[in-house]
Amino acid sequence: ADDKPFDGQTLSVLLPPWGTLPKDMTDQFTADTGISLDGQTLGWDEIRTKIVTSMIANTAPASAVEIDWSWVGQFGAAGWFQPLDGLVDAAAIKDAPTAKIFVYDGAQLAVPYNNDFRILIYNKAHLKQAGISAPPTTPNEMLEAARTIKAEGIADYPIGLPLSATEGSATAWYLLTKAFGGDLFDADFNPLFTTPDSAGYKAMAFEIEALNEGLISPAATGLKDVDIQELFKNGQTSFDVAGWAGSISVYEDPEKSTVAGDAALALMISTTGTPRSFGLPEAVGIPSNAKNPGAAAAFIDWIQTAETQIGAYHSLGNLPPRLSVLETLNTAGELKDGDILLEQAAFAEPLFAQGTPGWYPEFSAAVASNLNLAAKGQISVQEAVDRIADQATAAMQ
Amino acid sequence: MYSPTLKIFAGRAGLCLAVLVLLLWSIGPVYWSLVTSLTPPNDLVSAELHLWPQTLTFEHYNKLFGATSQSQGNEVQSVWPQFSRAFFNSIVTSVGATLLTVVIAAFGAYAFVRFSFPGRDILFFIVVATMAIPAYTVMIPLYRLMISVSLIDTMTGVILIYVSAFLPLALWLMRSIYQAIPISLEEAAYLDGAGKTHTLIKIILPIAAPGLIAAAILTFLNAWGQFMVPLVFSPTLATKPLTVLIPEFVTRNYIDYGLMNAAGIIAVVPPILLVIFLNRFLVSGLMAGAGK
Amino acid sequence: MNTIREKLWPLPKLKASLLGWGYVAPALLIMGALVLWPLASTIWDSFYSVNPMKVGKPFVGLDNYINLLSDPNVRQAWSNTFLYVLFTVVIETVLGVSAALLLNKVKFGRSWLLAALILPWCLPPVVNAIVWGWIFNPSYGVLNNALLSMGVISENKVWFNERLSALFMISVVHAWRMMPLTAIIILAALQSIPKELYEAAKLDGAGAIKMFRKITLPLIASGLAIALSQSTVFAFNMFDEAWIMNGTGYDTRSVMIQVYMSAFQNLKFSYGMALSIMAMLASLIISAVYVLRVYRETRFD
Amino acid sequence: MAKLEISQLKKRYGRVEVIHGVDMTVEDGEFVSLIGSSGCGKSTMLRMIAGLESVSSGSMSLDGRLINSVEPKDRDIAMVFQNYALYPHLSVAQNMGFSLELRKVPKKEAAIAVAKAAEMLGLTPYLDRTPKALSGGQRQRVAMGRAIVRNPRLFLFDEPLSNLDAKLRVQMRMEIKALQKRLGTTSIYVTHDQVEALTMSDRVVLLNAGRVEQIGTPMQVYKRPANVFVATFIGSPAMNLLSGTLLRDADQCFAKVDGKTFALPECEGVADGTSIKLGVRPEHLRIVDGPDAQDTFNMSVEVVETTGAETHVYGCLGADNMTVTLDGEISPTVGETIRLQSPTKTLHVFDAASGARLNS
Amino acid sequence: MAKLEISQLKKRYGRVEVIHGVDMTVEDGEFVSLIGSSGCGKSTMLRMIAGLESVSSGSMSLDGRLINSVEPKDRDIAMVFQNYALYPHLSVAQNMGFSLELRKVPKKEAAIAVAKAAEMLGLTPYLDRTPKALSGGQRQRVAMGRAIVRNPRLFLFDEPLSNLDAKLRVQMRMEIKALQKRLGTTSIYVTHDQVEALTMSDRVVLLNAGRVEQIGTPMQVYKRPANVFVATFIGSPAMNLLSGTLLRDADQCFAKVDGKTFALPECEGVADGTSIKLGVRPEHLRIVDGPDAQDTFNMSVEVVETTGAETHVYGCLGADNMTVTLDGEISPTVGETIRLQSPTKTLHVFDAASGARLNS
Ligand SMILES: Nc1ncnc2c1ncn2[C@@H]1O[C@H](COP(=O)(O)OP(=O)(O)OP(=O)(O)O)[C@@H](O)[C@H]1O
Ligand SMILES: Nc1ncnc2c1ncn2[C@@H]1O[C@H](COP(=O)(O)OP(=O)(O)OP(=O)(O)O)[C@@H](O)[C@H]1O
Ligand SMILES: [Mg+2]
Ligand SMILES: [Mg+2]
């Protein structure tokens, strides 16, 4: 009975569809621990609305709840989640590099259940047709490759980047900022992207130039990240620049993609030679006033097990957060371009070294919206970065 | 002099054209959604325009109704249990809210029309004015309230909220309906020996039935389409309706347009059936309501 | 003599009054508890600074409201919203009146046409958004495809690249859903115009256009007032369409999106609530203007 | 069956008093008509009796019991409404049986009562129809049936025939009258059609702006109208009123009108020289041949209307308008002056100032 | 002012023909009434003339010009509707001036025309009111004003007085008639009220189920109704029709009715023994004293109604119903048998089968 301390409890879990594990796995969990799961599934925007509404009303929406990396600052500041230190398996946390992102004020607020980081995905066939032997490693090489592909008439708009006023466009810009060898903020959160020689500025200029040159679809100003993925699946773009590591499995699925067999991974382009990337993981935490935190901790531990993570990879395509698990999968040959994936994974850092700040959502909305304006030609790159900086500073107050 | 036949013909042709445009505008998008739901995923993203799927597929519907389904390229649990449960929830909450709203509105509106009591008109005005309140404005205090009375994720809670949201419209509608009923009918019933409540139930309600049906349809449609309220107040499949379930088919790196359209088509079946079969009540009720 | 009346009548009067209260009690109870009380609570909170990321709940008086006036994002949202109101009200009114006129003319299969007309309004808004998102999709959307194949445009158009066209497109989607309401209200108004008036006007020498301007328009004015106020309230609460089609984009951000972002994304709760209350008041005031100015003055029965 | 006594009944709507203290009594089994022009308060009176309007002051009692504040449903009064107020969703039988059902009359007994009433009204073939499937006259009968089936103490009728066409109206008024005679139920009948009131009623109550002008049998109000209002209200075309002066002789009264002198019926206690209105009914005037005489009215013809059966001649006598109803065969020409006479006993004398009747 | 000629006019709604080929002519300045029971096609006729309904076949011409397919707005015809069809949002002056405005008559001129018409109709004080602030009679006048202000070639009236009360109706019918006389505009007047038709018109057109039954002056249709339909339609109460047989003597006709023989006016060419209907107008019957004679109708009295001026007696003569209008002073008692006579020249003889008039 001791190994089933929470026998008979019902644990409520709030996760998005891609965090919702199949029934046979959760049944196993119930069998092992005696905890029955009461799963709630909500879309991503909706989960946030739900958490905020209920936490402001001082009730936990569930005992184990989704936390996106971008919410850490806010939820941490609000004190809505319990520190997990001591509650869950520390070794497993250590094994997951992206777990650091969920540390707020020294406390581990949540444990990641997927390991999405950015990686370059390209269409092998397109490159081959254009006579390009290797994927680009620098921004310039990418532009060159794209021009060739466009000139050959293989794809009208070879580069896939979202430029709509949505979160996905903002994260792509962050990634390119890193590719251009810089960071968004310094240690004191002073904006680093406002001067023309800054990486952030160059990254935005790169996007606008590619757009103006017709390398990015003009439609991108209205496309979300998922729409860009559709274009890639459809063979209309050659590069999914801000590709999600998990997307490769969809691209390679002939049921859903016309380019199955042609999609391949490459290290992120970079001006410095270091293929920098960052992780955008999602995690599970325990709200501060959760009904049964013990059972929730048991659930989190279960999520961290290699078995569960492998199961989740197979059923949902979630890349395992734990390096050791990734390696196991790669060894078993179950990862497409696994070596590259693992190599890139090692370079995945948090977007904010200090931890995601509470004003991040305002900042990212400002990025997305102003980037979108710049892409539509309504403001210049300089104006865009200045406005972003201004709004970031305002949001920090 | 003019030629009446030519003119009539031109008029007819113009009328037909206008009708066609109206049909295209109203039904076109829904039709397109239907076509999408019958198109294989790979054809969806082809650049060509087809008014009818080149290859017809029921795979999206299979996903909804089938024993298993695909997610992210993997065989996962069927969405049918979720989908059917959500469909059931939608029906229960919508029907429940409809019944309650109609009953409350039937009595309330009658009092607003036929009884005089202090504060009657101002109360009615306030109730109707609440239609302008945005959902977000009251959501958080409402959530607190529902938590404190343990009505979160219960059919009762959701139904009560729907009632509070759609009651003003129903009251407004029923009030105009009652206003159009000659008062002498009630007077005849009083003289026949009926009390006020008895008169309302036995005489007025049957006469106001078309209006009640219109109010019921309106409430049902509104409840059926709700998104924000169940999103917050129906967290689990115990009460979660279709409208909240459907957007969940947007996965992180894959929008299943086909599946969403298929689910959408299923979700519009009850409203469409209502419109087709009870249209005349809806329209006459709305028109009666609009007259005031 | 008054005394007799006083002696004999208080009881039945009181009884009728009590019965009246009894009938409306359930309605008032529900509205009071689930709408008015939360509203009062929100208004109360809007004078404080409620921010879960900060400790305490300091009283700030009208600060939230004052800050809203100087917030450029909010101002942009207001200007977008007013454009939404303008566009949707115009589209809904023009199309609604046209559709109503058409339906008033059609005699054969009228009820089916009516069913088709009100269909969009009956669909769940979520489905509406899916359908239109798919239609407007810049790459595979049927709109681009159709226009391309008709030769109206030469390459796929990005509908949301210009502010006005984006606002307009979103307004169209919103109007698609809400127009049936206007049409039905106007149709009711049209049907209440005695047809003899048109016959009299014909004999007086009026043609079709004159009749519309001189007879129809003035006589549907009260219906129009109601339709306009409905359209306005709904346009002020514009959220779904703008959010799903264009996210947080400045060009299309409505006041309600701004409310959502302030309260639920940035967790500046009372700031967002203050804005939502302003939006509510604005829509009520504008509706009241229509109703008082147009409706009151144009009822002829 | 009952006796209704009304005393000093008043009705105010807000500040406006519309019934200014009416006294009247309706005897058991009597058929009384309330007649008056539109807005005079007929319906208001009836509705107060029914209990549908509150009484502002005064008293109403039915068989000696004060009913001012009895609820309508407990007064045992039946009313036939102008628009019939039939329950549109119920069949004819259900409409008629509704009150019995409410009174918990056993089903069988109720069915018999309904069948009997239907029989009486010739509605038996229509018992299963709903009102909208009936013609106007049939609806009217159903409304009647609903009233009689429960054998109430009082029938009230509010212009029950005004929605029917002329022919049907004549027929129905005879039917109603016959039915009431047969049942013997006390009835109050509101109408603005004087022919109805005169032909149907035992007594007529003439209302004017919320006041009773006269109560009497039809022949009383026709032959001895109490004042100018009644005189002109009853009779069609209306009685001619000619301005004149009363001249009193030793034992005879005369009227000086348009320079001529007319012998009058006895006008007791009226002073010589009083300004009067001489009332002459159009139908009592006859053309006389022969030379101009003292007792003929010389009228200049302005308009002649003939319907074949009757000819109406409109014209002037001095400053007063004058109307004459003549046989259809006679047709004076416009512009001509005709000489007319009316027998002395058919003349009416009213005080010019107060309008009150002066002759007995 | 114009002459209207209508020939073989037909109207079909879908498959149903409702006007079956009407021929009529309205002379310049003439006032013609269309009369008939409800649904007989009066309004349809009028609306075809106005151009509000299309013509199925036949022709209509105004002053010799075919107007079948002229747009209503170009016919220069004015119409007064039953419910007046006043523009509720316009003032009285604007209502009356609407057609002038549309015809682009200069503002000043229009104002003068409106003022003149208003003066004529006594509407000057109300020019700024909207219709809802007017009484029924005033509204009727505005509708008239709207018609006359533009001096059209033809006036059409569709039951313009049916929404007014009895008194006002009498007054307005005189006003309309006088106005028409004064303006001299050709007019067609639809009504179902025979008194209106008979008193106002130069000629009456009697319609029945879409066919013309008789066209003639009011006295012609009253005194020589062409058939049973006209005979019973014109006159109130309706003419009594008694079943009988025509007996033919050397130089005289008789009717055998209820076992008695009545001398008849000349019935040329009618065979002896023909089944007939003997028409007797109630107002031509008089009570005769003395013993039973061959030429008296013996009627048993069933109902007596008196309005003071007249007494209507209803009863039976053999198998036929019979109505008599007597002087108000006379009041037979129910159950009694009264003996009546009608002068031979007032008797009408109709063929029992076809209903056609037999006597000249
Ligand atoms: N609810 C009310 N409020 C105020 N005034 C009223 C109300 N009901 C009736 N009146 C007034 O009372 C007076 C009498 O009305 P009532 O209906 O009794 O007239 P009526 O004699 O029945 O007329 P009609 O022949 O037109 O039916 C009228 O002047 C009317 O305006
Ligand atoms: N639009 C129509 N469609 C079909 N039948 C019609 C239409 N209008 C009139 N009728 C029919 O034509 C006939 C004549 O109608 P019309 O209105 O001319 O009668 P009317 O003599 O004016 O009667 P009323 O005295 O009731 O006004 C009626 O039988 C009517 O049912
Ligand atoms: Mg009345
Ligand atoms: Mg007609």
Side-chain angles (χ1 to χ4, degrees), chain C residues 9-286:
Chain C
W9 275 93
L11 258 180
K13 270 227 163 121
L14 188 70
K15 216 174 132 189
S17 174
L18 277 180
L19 195 61
W21 278 101
Y23 277 16
V24 293
L28 295 184
L29 214 68
I30 288 193
M31 295 310 294
L34 300 184
V35 179
L36 298 176
W37 184 82
L39 179 68
S41 159
T42 296
I43 294 175
W44 182 259
D45 277 354
S46 73
F47 298 118
Y48 291 82
S49 170
V50 180
N51 182 338
M53 295 192 292
K54 304 227 169 82
V55 190
K57 180 180 161 184
F59 180 77
V60 297
L62 288 172
D63 278 6
N64 283 324
Y65 291 92
I66 291 163
N67 292 343
L68 280 172
L69 297 180
S70 58
D71 186 331
N73 288 349
V74 172
R75 266 196 245 148
Q76 169 94 19
W78 275 115
S79 116
N80 290 341
T81 300
F82 282 120
L83 284 172
Y84 282 138
V85 172
L86 183 73
F87 286 157
T88 55
V89 166
V90 168
I91 298 171
E92 281 169 33
T93 307
V94 169
L95 292 186
V97 170
S98 315
L101 287 173
L102 178 63
L103 276 161
N104 205 29
K105 265 254 162 72
V106 171
K107 286 178 193 82
F108 187 74
R110 167 130 137 217
S111 66
W112 288 99
L113 197 57
L114 260 169
L117 171 77
I118 56 178
L119 180 69
W121 180 72
C122 299
L123 302 184
V126 170
V127 175
N128 180 19
I130 293 173
V131 170
W132 283 94
W134 184 229
I135 288 173
F136 280 150
N137 188 307
S139 309
Y140 333 108
V142 69
L143 184 60
N144 266 328
N145 268 333
L147 291 180
L148 269 178
S149 54
M150 285 191 290
V152 179
I153 52 173
S154 55
E155 60 175 357
N156 276 358
K157 196 159 162 49
V158 184
W159 300 107
F160 297 99
N161 258 4
E162 280 157 59
R163 171 156 181 259
L164 286 182
S165 91
L167 289 172
F168 184 77
M169 285 313 217
I170 290 171
S171 302
V172 166
V173 176
H174 183 85
W176 182 73
R177 182 161 65 92
M178 299 310 304
M179 181 274 266
L181 200 56
T182 303
I184 298 257
I185 292 171
I186 301 296
L187 184 59
L190 282 176
Q191 295 198 337
S192 70
I193 302 178
K195 80 175 197 314
E196 284 87 358
L197 288 190
Y198 292 107
E199 296 181 338
K202 260 189 210 165
L203 293 172
D204 273 350
I209 295 167
K210 274 271 158 58
M211 275 197 270
F212 180 75
R213 273 197 31 223
K214 300 268 180 178
I215 311 286
T216 311
L217 216 47
L219 290 177
I220 59 173
S222 59
L224 263 179
I226 293 179
L228 286 173
S229 61
Q230 292 274 348
S231 309
T232 305
V233 167
F234 284 112
F236 262 103
N237 287 341
M238 163 89 74
F239 182 90
D240 292 350
E241 287 90 355
W243 178 255
I244 288 168
M245 310 252 183
N246 206 28
T248 63
Y250 286 128
D251 284 353
T252 57
R253 192 185 289 181
S254 68
V255 167
M256 278 305 129
I257 292 185
Q258 188 64 43
V259 167
Y260 172 78
M261 291 174 67
S262 301
F264 291 88
Q265 286 205 336
N266 306 338
L267 300 188
K268 291 178 177 168
F269 178 64
S270 14
Y271 191 65
M273 289 304 109
L275 182 55
S276 79
I277 283 159
M278 285 172 77
M280 179 186 86
L281 290 179
S283 66
L284 274 180
I285 288 169
I286 295 186

Side-chain angles (χ1 to χ4, degrees), chain E residues 184-312:
Chain E
T185 311
T186 316
S187 303
I188 303 180
Y189 187 101
V190 160
T191 179
H192 60 249
D193 177 344
Q194 48 164 306
V195 177
E196 269 174 33
L198 295 173
T199 57
M200 296 173 81
S201 325
D202 297 323
R203 280 192 302 150
V204 174
V205 177
L206 237 128
L207 280 182
N208 179 29
R211 267 178 241 283
V212 172
E213 296 281 352
Q214 186 168 5
I215 302 185
T217 65
M219 280 310 103
Q220 281 169 346
V221 295
Y222 177 79
K223 292 193 174 157
R224 298 200 66 253
N227 51 39
V228 168
F229 177 83
V230 178
T232 50
F233 193 90
I234 299 287
S236 169
M239 182 189 283
N240 298 297
L241 289 176
L242 308 169
S243 306
T245 320
L246 187 119
L247 303 176
R248 189 170 266 292
D249 197 325
D251 44 24
Q252 172 88 64
C253 295
F254 299 91
K256 193 160 182 79
V257 172
D258 194 31
K260 295 194 168 183
T261 321
F262 299 87
L264 290 183
E266 181 46 41
C267 298
E268 257 173 70
V270 185
D272 184 64
T274 311
S275 285
I276 57 159
K277 292 279 180 190
L278 180 65
V280 192
R281 292 211 180 269
E283 60 269 26
H284 291 152
L285 284 162
R286 290 284 164 265
I287 291 187
V288 285
D289 296 326
D292 192 9
Q294 259 308 308
D295 58 350
T296 58
F297 301 98
N298 291 352
M299 178 179 108
S300 62
V301 175
E302 287 178 358
V303 177
V304 178
E305 276 186 347
T306 177
T307 64
E310 288 180 338
T311 301
H312 296 287

Side-chain angles (χ1 to χ4, degrees), chain B residues 91-108:
Chain B
I91 296 269
V92 171
T93 50
S94 304
V95 169
T98 301
L99 292 180
L100 202 56
T101 302
V102 166
V103 170
I104 293 176
F107 281 84

Side-chain angles (χ1 to χ4, degrees), chain E residues 11-14 16-19 36-47 53 82 158-159 190-192 207:
Chain E
K11 175 69 190 176
R12 271 183 299 275
Y13 287 113
V16 192
E17 192 173 271
V18 297
I19 302 285
S37 51
S38 188
C40 70
K42 307 180 294 291
S43 298
T44 307
M45 282 287 301
L46 207 65
R47 294 165 54 78
E53 297 282 356
Q82 179 170 1
D158 195 353
E159 312 203 10
V190 160
T191 179
H192 60 249
L207 280 182

Side-chain angles (χ1 to χ4, degrees), chain A residues 54-124:
Chain A
S54 49
M55 292 311 291
I56 287 184
N58 259 326
T59 37
S63 289
V65 172
E66 158 95 1
I67 304 188
D68 186 72
W69 68 274
S70 60
W71 305 341
V72 172
Q74 286 188 327
F75 292 5
W80 285 349
F81 282 80
Q82 309 186 1
L84 298 180
D85 309 272
L87 275 176
V88 300
D89 182 6
I93 293 179
K94 262 228 162 81
D95 191 21
T98 48
K100 286 198 289 291
I101 295 174
F102 296 93
V103 174
Y104 181 86
D105 221 1
Q108 187 77 38
L109 292 186
V111 170
Y113 64 83
N114 78 3
N115 187 13
D116 242 332
F117 51 87
R118 294 305 162 101
I119 194 163
L120 179 63
I121 308 179
Y122 66 100
N123 188 315
K124 271 190 301 205

Side-chain angles (χ1 to χ4, degrees), chain A residues 128-177:
Chain A
K128 200 167 154 202
Q129 253 180 290
I132 302 167
S133 54
T137 58
T138 68
N140 280 336
E141 274 180 44
M142 176 172 284
L143 289 180
E144 268 317 309
R147 284 179 194 126
T148 317
I149 293 169
K150 187 179 173 85
E152 297 281 325
I154 299 160
D156 287 340
Y157 307 110
I159 299 181
L161 268 174
L163 290 168
S164 60
T166 54
E167 172 80 6
S169 312
T171 50
W173 177 64
Y174 308 153
L175 181 68
L176 285 170
T177 300

Side-chain angles (χ1 to χ4, degrees), chain D residues 278-297:
Chain D
L278 180 65
V280 191
R281 292 213 180 269
E283 61 268 27
H284 292 152
L285 285 162
R286 290 283 165 267
I287 291 187
V288 286
D289 297 326
D292 190 11
Q294 260 309 308
D295 57 351
T296 57
F297 301 96

Side-chain angles (χ1 to χ4, degrees), chain E residues 6-264:
Chain E
I6 291 175
S7 137
Q8 277 306 306
L9 195 68
K10 291 189 182 182
K11 175 69 190 176
R12 271 183 299 275
Y13 287 113
R15 295 252 180 83
V16 192
E17 192 173 271
V18 297
I19 302 285
H20 311 283
V22 166
D23 294 297
M24 62 184 268
T25 306
V26 184
E27 299 295 336
D28 185 14
E30 203 181 11
F31 191 110
V32 168
S33 289
L34 286 181
I35 181 168
S37 51
S38 188
C40 70
K42 307 180 294 291
S43 298
T44 307
M45 282 287 301
L46 207 65
R47 294 165 54 78
M48 283 196 286
I49 297 169
L52 299 172
E53 297 282 356
S54 62
V55 169
S56 298
S57 77
S59 70
M60 299 186 303
S61 47
L62 203 57
D63 273 344
R65 178 176 160 234
L66 193 68
I67 55 166
N68 279 28
S69 51
V70 174
E71 289 256 23
K73 70 187 174 81
D74 303 324
R75 291 193 186 192
D76 199 10
I77 289 176
M79 179 156 166
V80 176
F81 293 81
Q82 179 170 1
N83 58 4
Y84 317 142
L86 300 180
Y87 310 122
H89 56 298
L90 300 181
S91 69
V92 168
Q94 288 169 323
N95 260 287
M96 290 174 35
F98 191 66
S99 61
L100 301 179
E101 191 193 323
L102 288 171
R103 282 182 171 66
K104 305 228 176 355
V105 172
K107 278 234 162 77
K108 270 208 183 132
E109 216 170 287
I112 292 170
V114 168
K116 204 176 117 198
E119 185 61 44
M120 210 182 283
L121 293 158
L123 287 172
T124 314
Y126 311 109
L127 281 175
D128 291 330
R129 296 207 193 160
T130 51
K132 74 164 173 231
L134 298 178
S135 73
Q138 290 164 342
R139 287 180 204 186
Q140 215 290 323
R141 283 200 188 90
V142 177
M144 290 289 303
R146 195 169 60 180
I148 65 177
V149 79
R150 64 193 173 94
N151 196 18
R153 297 204 289 175
L154 200 58
F155 278 152
L156 305 178
F157 301 88
D158 195 353
E159 312 203 10
L161 303 180
S162 61
N163 287 349
L164 301 180
D165 71 27
K167 284 235 163 96
L168 208 49
R169 210 141 62 205
V170 173
Q171 182 193 338
M172 286 305 300
R173 83 178 181 226
M174 288 202 271
E175 284 187 20
I176 292 179
K177 179 65 192 154
L179 202 66
Q180 192 268 346
K181 272 253 174 70
R182 183 167 156 195
L183 298 170
T185 311
T186 316
S187 303
I188 303 180
Y189 187 101
V190 160
T191 179
H192 60 249
D193 177 344
Q194 48 164 306
V195 177
E196 269 174 33
L198 295 173
T199 57
M200 296 173 81
S201 325
D202 297 323
R203 280 192 302 150
V204 174
V205 177
L206 237 128
L207 280 182
N208 179 29
R211 267 178 241 283
V212 172
E213 296 281 352
Q214 186 168 5
I215 302 185
T217 65
M219 280 310 103
Q220 281 169 346
V221 295
Y222 177 79
K223 292 193 174 157
R224 298 200 66 253
N227 51 39
V228 168
F229 177 83
V230 178
T232 50
F233 193 90
I234 299 287
S236 169
M239 182 189 283
N240 298 297
L241 289 176
L242 308 169
S243 306
T245 320
L246 187 119
L247 303 176
R248 189 170 266 292
D249 197 325
D251 44 24
Q252 172 88 64
C253 295
F254 299 91
K256 193 160 182 79
V257 172
D258 194 31
K260 295 194 168 183
T261 321
F262 299 87
L264 290 183

